[in-house]
Amino acid sequence: MDLQNYGFIPETDSGDEMGIPARITAVHKERYELVCEYGLGYARLKTKEYYNGTEDFPTAGDFVRIDYIPNGDSRIIRTLPRRTFFSRRDPTPGRGEQAVAANFDYVFILQSLNHNFNGKRLERYLTLAWQSGAVPVIVLTKADLTEDASPYLQTAESIAPGVDICAISARNGFGMDRLSRYVQPEKTIVFLGSSGVGKSSLVNALAGEELMSVSEIREEDSRGRHTTTHRQLIMLPNGAMVIDTPGMRELGMWDVSVGLHDAFEDVEEYLGQCRFSDCKHKSEPGCAVRAAIESGDLSPERWESYCKLKSEARFSDDKGAYRRQKQQRNKALAKQIRAKKSRG
């Protein structure tokens, strides 16, 4: 089997190392599905290389090197450098960052044109998409459920200027041709969206056959169950690949400095223009941010979203430091209140 059909770029691998290259197609607890020149198979981690902290634990989409074993589980000996990846804080204490998908070209940010549509969530997903290093595409699903998609499109355009936005219906095929430029052989797409948004239906529509089961959603709030139970890479009949993972709903703001800049460029253009370099953007004179909000050039909602995501990123990066800073702020505020009461 030719691994280049799975997006492998030989130039990214020196080729003089032990083992042969493979790509991870699914992640289970301690066992991995993969594809290599010998076809599909399974593998486990080589303990010495991974549990001494010298190698990144592989995830769906990763290219690795393996000691191939024909009649059993091969051994994964190294994770090759990643072009793009999503990450979160590893639930295992002490491991820090954990990748949940790797080596993809596009991020399909999915929201449906019903109760699921949420501008704040779209801002969060867009920040994560830019941070990953891949190209974001906003896909508004279930266009058959609304008579007028223009309000949703306008909101998405205001949040993501310059990003391709596609309204589609997997049920009747509306707008599906807009996605064809991305769904190409050897290209990998990650789906980023909440339950009930129609990820499984979209995979099936792109494949032209039922590759994934579709769960029902509750009509009152448009919520559904996650039908994906493990991280997996799916090869479509035309040679494009899709990564769907239950971990996507748990992604936090882990080190999103690049993503915040790209997703909130309209906000960050005012930073550094204040009269004082240490401006807190609250009541200081000469604050460029407050002036932009008062003039209407910057919406207070956008500024609030930016501050919230940046604060969450600090919390994800160092929970202890974040809590200490919060406690210090609360103590300072309490001290000010007591001082005012004593003067009164």
Side-chain angles (χ1 to χ4, degrees), residues 193-208:
S194 57
S195 60
V197 77
K199 291 186 288 182
S200 299
S201 297
L202 181 54
V203 169
N204 294 339
L206 293 174

Side-chain angles (χ1 to χ4, degrees), residues 91-135:
T92 302
R95 285 191 184 169
E97 185 179 19
Q98 177 197 59
V100 294
N103 298 312
F104 42 89
D105 301 279
Y106 305 107
V107 180
F108 279 11
I109 303 173
L110 277 69
Q111 291 207 334
S112 57
L113 297 176
N114 55 13
H115 299 300
N116 176 271
F117 188 88
N118 185 299
K120 299 296 184 184
R121 187 187 303 130
L122 183 57
E123 289 174 330
R124 166 189 290 268
Y125 286 171
L126 187 63
T127 301
L128 292 167
W130 282 123
Q131 184 67 27
S132 74
V135 176

Side-chain angles (χ1 to χ4, degrees), residues 86-89 98 100-101 110 116 121 124-125 128 190-197 199 223-231 243-253 312:
F86 277 125
S87 65
R88 65 178 177 184
R89 179 172 290 278
Q98 177 197 59
V100 294
L110 277 69
N116 176 271
R121 187 187 303 130
R124 166 189 290 268
Y125 286 171
L128 292 167
V190 159
F191 282 5
L192 185 55
S194 57
S195 60
V197 77
K199 291 186 288 182
R223 292 182 180 273
R225 298 189 309 273
H226 287 269
T227 52
T228 304
T229 58
H230 56 272
R231 305 173 213 166
I243 296 179
D244 190 20
T245 163
M248 288 302 174
R249 69 183 184 272
E250 301 165 6
L251 285 176
M253 297 282 116
E312 185 180 332

Side-chain angles (χ1 to χ4, degrees), residues 13-70:
D13 182 27
S14 62
D16 58 355
E17 303 173 69
M18 294 177 58
I20 61 172
R23 190 172 198 188
I24 303 296
T25 58
V27 178
H28 305 284
K29 284 187 176 180
E30 295 181 354
R31 202 170 184 227
Y32 298 80
E33 293 181 42
L34 52 76
V35 59
C36 67
E37 62 186 80
Y38 299 108
L40 302 175
Y42 291 87
R44 297 180 184 272
L45 299 177
K46 191 175 181 181
T47 305
K48 178 182 177 182
E49 276 72 7
Y50 282 91
Y51 289 93
N52 64 5
T54 60
E55 287 293 336
D56 293 322
F57 284 77
T59 190
D62 261 323
F63 290 103
V64 297
R65 278 196 160 264
I66 63 171
D67 284 333
Y68 179 70
I69 299 175

